[in-house]
Amino acid sequence: PSYPNLQYISTDAVTDPCTAATTCADCIKINPMCTWCADNKTTPGTRRVRCKLLINNQRDCLTGFIENPKSISAPTKNLPFSNVTSEVFENPATANMTILQLKPQAINVKLRPGQMETVNITFRKVVDYPLDLYYVMDLSNSMSDDLATLKGLGDSLAADIRNVTKNVRLGFGTFVDKVVMPFASTIPDQLRDPCLKIANETCAPVFGFRHQLGITADGALFREAVNSTLISGNIDSPEGGFDALMQITVCQNIIQWRDEALRVILYTSDASPHIALDGKLAAILEANDMRCHLEAGVHPELPQDAIVYSKSKNMDYPSIGQLKHVFDQYKVQPIFAVTESVFDLYTGLPQIIDNSFVGKLRSDSKNVVQVISDSYNRLKSLVQLTRPTKPSNIDMTYRVLCPGATWVDNSLQCDNIEIGDEITFQFQLTAQTCPTNTAQKDSIAITSSSLKDEVAISIEYICDCECSNAPLLNHSQCSDSGSLQCGVCQCNSGTDGSQCQCTASEVALNRNCSIDTDCTGGNGYCECGKCICNVGFFGRLCECRSTGCPDDCGGADKGVCNNCNNDGRCICNSGGGYFLNNITNTCICNLKDCADVGGTLCNGRGTCECNTCECTDTRLYSGATCQTCNLPECTGIDGTCSGTTIRACVECIYDNQRLKKDINVECRSLCSDKQLGNWETKPTLVDCSKCAPGQSTGQCSTCTDIDQQYTHRCSVTTAASSCTANYIIMWDSRRKSYFLGVQNYNYATDCPQPINPWLIVGPVVGGIVLIGLIILIVWKIFQTIKDKVEYEQFLEDSKNKTWSKGNNPLYSKASVRVVNPAFEANN
């Protein structure tokens, strides 16, 4: 049968994100909120949109036919928690029994793409596991005092640790470093005894890692292993302890770890460890293979029964990531007991290695038991799941609810857990897409580095609808030429159309599209070789739409949008004078009338609207091309007294007037700005504020169009003459320019006058004379005072003299003696 007049039934396509899907399988994948209407209600010759948001399908779909699958989860193994005590491990008959502390143990999850499903896993602590403690010690020479301390504690260490937990077994091993240069000396004598050059001291031969005692409950064997240990030595400061950790972890049978025990390695050192790639220093290029390589009889300098790491010289040190992997795999928890000098180097390890602990040893290691006790108590009360590895197309978030606390996001750890406490771990899983193989199944393992329990989460994907499982073959609604499946016809070969109503010849006649062609990305649908376009689309393949053009082509009156294949092309209304601007791809008018001389539209002060400039600020600009400046703000000239443009013009006018030169010639370049209108010189500057409103006679004739708001009276001292030029700046609101008035040059009032020389000479001469008189007067006064003092002193001395009666103190008896120079005595 043929159905003419095919038409499109409009739905909520604008707001509904689901309407592009044409099959139920596509519908449930496109968005987790989409639903499919699977009823058989159809109208011949039309195409019905069946994939919609639930609220829209509830309105249009028959009751009971809405396909809306949900993500679900259900436990497939949910055994109860064990009801036992810690003594179960002490009874040989029950020591290996399985203890259940996580439930459920297996969960099946079915995920619809984009729809989250929440899975809860509960942990209940029912027992404290027994302790297997392997003590591995750095035997480099710097640890000699620690070994002496450990030997001194050998008799009591096993008993002391049993005070921490009764069910404990001990193992012992030692490490130095790779016996290759530059890590250790390879001189034969020093290989046998690294302490050869140290007086009165003998050391054990250098080795990488030596396993000396498997896990045992016999304290005597532990004491014997410890007491028989000798210190050794190497060259560089870092040690090969990470090689030891790898072998202790992966050599399960040799170390004799118990399946039911809490497995702990106590690592002691006073130096930093060598890590991956350090082996390149000794040309060791083979990466660590994370396998067991403990063998006896392979070290030439040690006894034949000595068990050592046989690949020490062949394999590089393990990386921290490799150690984390094997610790998680074999449920081993390391305690790094290191001295204070290197403590900071190890503090970052617990952030990478789950359930690890770093303790600080005293320099002599006497607090080793306390470190073990603190670490064990923390480890046994710590519950931490390993961050699970998820499939690449699964988004996963998680959180934990610890006893007496609130939910903590992005955490899988609780501390201080006692027997009987319960913890809830919550995982939220979301599938991003359906896998290519819709039958694919994925899995996630929820494990712990300390717990023996494991939860397996199996994941399936919901990628099709239930209605797809029961097609109605050759249904009448499909013109007896197709199967009705989920309310949609799946046409047999040779037919086409929404009701399989078209023959192959009809399809070949149109040849625009086929049933497999989606008419340009879902803009329409194919019926009998012809695209039926959705609302808002047109074209042979619905490749065009009337939206998506820049600026909507300038407006409905200027042009229409003909956006084909996203070219955003506008068809302009040429009859209305509009044409296409190839730069902006919008319809505009002829812009030539809006351009100034330089070609700038509207002088950059407005927009061109069909040959007419619309000025951005009509208060400031006006004119056909916004060329006229209405107010001083747009001139670009500073019209105040500090404005340099006007001040330079004033100085030019004033100085050339002083020199009696032609102002119009000399000042044309400085005073010819287009916004600096006319200027004049007058004996007295006009004061427009004193003019009556409307007065236009005398000086006030200048003030007719003057805006008092922009009037400034100013003065400037000219550089050429040092005279003061007075001037006035006024804004002419009619001419839209500044008007400048400069007061005439007046030497007497404007310029500095020469100084009278007598005003300088007179005071100088007078000052000199006055100073001389003052000096004479001072000298005369000083001399008079001095004479007076001396006379008074004379009078005082005269009064104090004592005169005798017979003697005149002023009288001096006269006496003359005459000697004859020619007389000589005979004797």
Side-chain angles (χ1 to χ4, degrees):
S2 177
Y3 300 97
N5 302 321
L6 292 173
Q7 60 181 333
Y8 175 75
I9 299 177
S10 177
T11 65
D12 303 306
V14 175
T15 58
D16 197 323
C18 308
T19 55
T22 57
T23 66
C24 190
D26 291 340
C27 181
I28 64 173
K29 297 174 189 176
I30 194 172
N31 190 296
M33 302 298 292
C34 295
T35 62
W36 178 266
C37 180
D39 65 22
N40 297 335
K41 184 176 66 173
T42 60
T43 301
T46 66
R47 185 187 184 199
R48 181 180 176 190
V49 176
R50 294 177 175 273
C51 187
K52 302 178 185 179
L53 294 173
L54 179 60
I55 189 173
N56 294 332
N57 258 335
Q58 286 175 332
R59 182 185 64 227
D60 300 334
C61 189
L62 294 178
T63 304
F65 286 91
I66 296 178
E67 292 278 341
N68 184 24
K70 300 287 187 181
S71 296
I72 58 172
S73 62
T76 56
K77 183 179 181 181
N78 194 16
L79 300 177
F81 296 122
S82 298
N83 184 17
V84 296
T85 62
S86 298
E87 284 72 18
V88 67
F89 299 116
E90 300 177 12
N91 185 347
T94 58
N96 295 322
M97 73 176 295
T98 300
I99 306 298
L100 295 180
Q101 298 185 108
L102 281 176
K103 61 177 293 190
Q105 293 80 39
I107 305 172
N108 179 256
V109 179
K110 295 183 179 180
L111 296 177
R112 176 180 173 179
Q115 196 173 85
M116 183 181 68
E117 178 62 13
T118 299
V119 173
N120 287 339
I121 297 172
T122 304
F123 168 83
R124 179 190 291 172
K125 185 166 185 175
V126 298
V127 291
D128 280 332
Y129 284 101
L131 174 63
D132 279 359
L133 177 69
Y134 192 96
Y135 193 112
V136 61
M137 184 179 178
D138 179 0
L139 274 193
S140 60
N141 197 266
S142 60
M143 287 288 288
S144 58
D145 57 339
D146 300 81
L147 180 62
T149 298
L150 185 57
K151 287 183 176 181
L153 294 173
D155 292 335
S156 60
L157 185 59
D160 290 340
I161 294 176
R162 284 188 171 85
N163 291 329
V164 177
T165 175
K166 293 181 179 179
N167 195 340
V168 61
R169 294 185 181 182
L170 301 174
F172 183 69
T174 53
F175 66 86
V176 184
D177 210 341
K178 296 183 183 296
V179 191
V180 291
M181 289 291 290
F183 309 127
S185 174
T186 55
I187 299 173
D189 290 342
Q190 293 187 6
L191 284 175
R192 289 188 292 272
D193 185 356
C195 305
L196 187 64
K197 295 182 178 181
I198 303 176
N200 301 321
E201 187 169 348
T202 301
C203 292
V206 186
F207 53 84
F209 164 63
R210 182 180 179 184
H211 169 57
Q212 296 177 238
L213 179 66
I215 299 292
T216 178
D218 191 337
L221 290 178
F222 179 79
R223 289 191 296 272
E224 181 181 348
V226 172
N227 291 330
S228 63
T229 299
L230 291 178
I231 205 71
S232 185
N234 60 329
I235 296 178
D236 63 342
S237 175
E239 315 298 355
F242 277 11
D243 272 344
L245 289 177
M246 177 62 71
Q247 294 304 302
I248 296 168
T249 303
V250 300
C251 297
Q252 294 282 298
N253 294 331
I254 296 175
I255 303 300
Q256 300 175 23
W257 293 112
R258 287 181 290 175
D259 290 338
E260 72 280 3
L262 180 64
R263 303 172 179 182
V264 176
I265 300 176
L266 179 63
Y267 173 100
T268 60
S269 180
D270 64 348
S272 60
H274 277 299
I275 58 175
L277 301 183
D278 282 359
K280 287 189 174 183
L281 295 172
I284 300 175
L285 306 179
E286 184 178 352
N288 194 286
D289 64 1
M290 297 187 290
R291 295 181 181 177
C292 180
H293 298 289
L294 291 183
E295 297 182 39
V298 295
H299 195 294
E301 307 299 336
L302 291 176
Q304 284 296 308
D305 60 349
I307 301 175
V308 297
Y309 175 34
S310 62
K311 296 291 185 179
S312 177
K313 298 181 182 180
N314 307 109
M315 287 188 179
D316 195 7
Y317 302 98
S319 67
I320 297 175
Q322 287 178 312
L323 288 176
K324 169 183 167 51
H325 176 75
V326 297
F327 287 156
D328 289 344
Q329 179 180 0
Y330 294 104
K331 313 297 183 186
V332 173
Q333 301 169 78
I335 300 172
F336 297 95
V338 295
T339 57
E340 185 174 11
S341 61
V342 294
F343 181 77
D344 291 341
L345 297 176
Y346 289 83
T347 53
L349 291 178
Q351 300 175 20
I352 304 172
I353 301 174
D354 296 333
N355 288 352
S356 61
F357 183 79
V358 178
K360 186 182 296 185
L361 284 178
R362 294 212 304 261
S363 59
D364 59 0
S365 300
K366 287 185 177 180
N367 65 330
V368 63
V369 176
Q370 185 61 47
V371 171
I372 297 171
S373 175
D374 294 343
S375 305
Y376 174 74
N377 288 331
R378 180 180 180 275
L379 290 173
K380 76 174 185 178
S381 64
L382 171 68
V383 175
Q384 181 177 18
L385 299 185
T386 303
R387 289 184 291 273
T389 301
K390 63 180 183 63
S392 59
N393 66 324
I394 298 293
D395 290 332
M396 179 175 65
T397 61
Y398 48 80
R399 59 179 183 167
V400 63
L401 180 62
C402 299
T406 58
W407 287 104
V408 179
D409 292 334
N410 302 316
S411 176
L412 294 173
Q413 174 180 316
C414 289
D415 295 307
N416 301 318
I417 301 303
E418 303 291 341
I419 292 178
D421 288 347
E422 288 194 3
I423 303 171
T424 300
F425 298 99
Q426 188 174 90
F427 297 86
Q428 296 175 330
L429 307 176
T430 306
Q432 299 174 4
T433 60
C434 274
T436 304
N437 177 12
T438 56
Q440 174 181 323
K441 294 183 179 182
D442 290 314
S443 63
I444 297 175
I446 307 299
T447 62
S448 169
S449 60
S450 58
L451 300 175
K452 306 303 181 292
D453 307 63
E454 181 174 308
V455 177
I457 300 178
S458 61
I459 300 175
E460 300 178 27
Y461 298 93
I462 302 175
C463 300
D464 208 341
C465 303
E466 290 186 7
C467 59
S468 300
N469 299 325
L472 303 176
L473 303 178
N474 298 321
H475 197 272
S476 60
Q477 287 187 194
C478 301
S479 306
D480 299 323
S481 299
S483 301
L484 187 63
Q485 186 179 41
C486 296
V488 179
C489 288
Q490 305 293 329
C491 298
N492 298 336
S493 177
T495 59
D496 196 4
S498 57
Q499 278 79 40
C500 306
Q501 73 275 22
C502 304
T503 63
S505 59
E506 289 176 304
V507 174
L509 182 65
N510 289 312
R511 295 183 183 277
N512 287 337
C513 63
S514 67
I515 194 64
D516 298 324
T517 302
D518 59 0
C519 295
T520 314
N523 298 340
Y525 63 95
C526 188
E527 283 284 359
C528 303
K530 181 180 179 180
C531 282
I532 308 301
C533 299
N534 296 341
V535 173
F537 294 91
F538 57 93
R540 186 175 66 87
L541 295 175
C542 307
E543 72 276 16
C544 302
R545 54 193 172 100
S546 56
T547 59
C549 294
D551 197 27
D552 292 333
C553 299
D557 57 332
K558 299 179 181 180
V560 296
C561 182
N562 196 51
N563 184 11
C564 298
N565 296 317
N566 294 318
D567 61 0
R569 185 164 57 91
C570 291
I571 306 298
C572 298
N573 179 12
S574 58
Y578 296 94
F579 70 96
L580 183 66
N581 184 330
N582 291 323
I583 298 176
T584 62
N585 196 28
T586 57
C587 297
I588 59 174
C589 296
N590 194 330
L591 305 181
K592 291 188 294 184
D593 293 339
C594 295
D596 59 14
V597 176
T600 303
L601 293 180
C602 304
N603 282 279
R605 298 168 177 170
T607 56
C608 185
E609 295 291 337
C610 291
N611 306 2
T612 303
C613 283
E614 292 187 2
C615 300
T616 304
D617 190 340
T618 55
R619 184 182 66 89
L620 292 178
Y621 304 107
S622 61
T625 60
C626 304
Q627 76 279 7
T628 303
C629 174
N630 297 325
L631 294 176
E633 286 92 326
C634 60
T635 63
I637 299 175
D638 187 353
T640 65
C641 293
S642 60
T644 56
T645 301
I646 294 179
R647 189 165 59 192
C649 175
V650 169
E651 290 191 43
C652 181
I653 292 172
Y654 187 84
D655 283 334
N656 282 283
Q657 186 193 52
R658 177 177 61 82
L659 298 173
K660 295 182 172 46
K661 293 184 179 181
D662 189 344
I663 299 172
N664 292 313
V665 174
E666 300 294 335
C667 301
R668 179 176 302 169
S669 62
L670 289 174
C671 302
S672 62
D673 191 281
K674 62 180 181 179
Q675 295 297 338
L676 188 60
N678 298 326
W679 66 84
E680 62 179 17
T681 59
K682 288 190 176 183
T684 305
L685 297 177
V686 64
D687 186 355
C688 294
S689 63
K690 296 181 179 180
C691 297
Q695 184 178 355
S696 59
T697 58
Q699 284 192 341
C700 292
S701 61
T702 308
C703 302
T704 304
D705 299 310
I706 296 302
D707 190 336
Q708 292 295 325
Q709 179 182 354
Y710 301 104
T711 298
H712 301 282
R713 301 180 72 85
C714 313
S715 63
V716 61
T717 300
T718 65
S721 62
S722 298
C723 297
T724 300
N726 297 304
Y727 60 99
I728 185 170
I729 304 171
M730 298 178 287
W731 177 257
D732 191 324
S733 59
R734 181 173 61 84
R735 293 186 178 90
K736 306 294 190 297
S737 64
Y738 282 109
F739 179 81
L740 179 64
V742 182
Q743 189 169 325
N744 287 342
Y745 166 73
N746 188 326
Y747 173 79
T749 59
D750 299 345
C751 303
Q753 301 300 312
I755 300 174
N756 190 339
W758 287 106
L759 295 177
I760 299 174
V761 175
V764 172
V765 173
I768 294 172
V769 173
L770 179 61
I771 292 171
L773 289 174
I774 292 172
I775 293 173
L776 287 174
I777 293 170
V778 171
W779 177 82
K780 183 60 179 176
I781 293 172
F782 173 76
Q783 193 64 39
T784 301
I785 294 172
K786 180 180 179 184
D787 291 346
K788 182 180 178 182
V789 171
E790 289 181 353
Y791 176 71
E792 290 176 350
Q793 183 65 39
F794 171 76
L795 293 178
E796 183 68 26
D797 290 342
S798 299
K799 290 179 183 180
N800 294 333
K801 294 295 184 179
T802 304
W803 305 92
S804 63
K805 294 181 179 182
N807 296 319
N808 184 351
L810 300 177
Y811 171 76
S812 196
K813 183 178 178 179
S815 62
V816 177
R817 186 182 179 186
V818 179
V819 178
N820 185 356
F823 173 77
E824 293 183 3
N826 293 325
N827 53 359

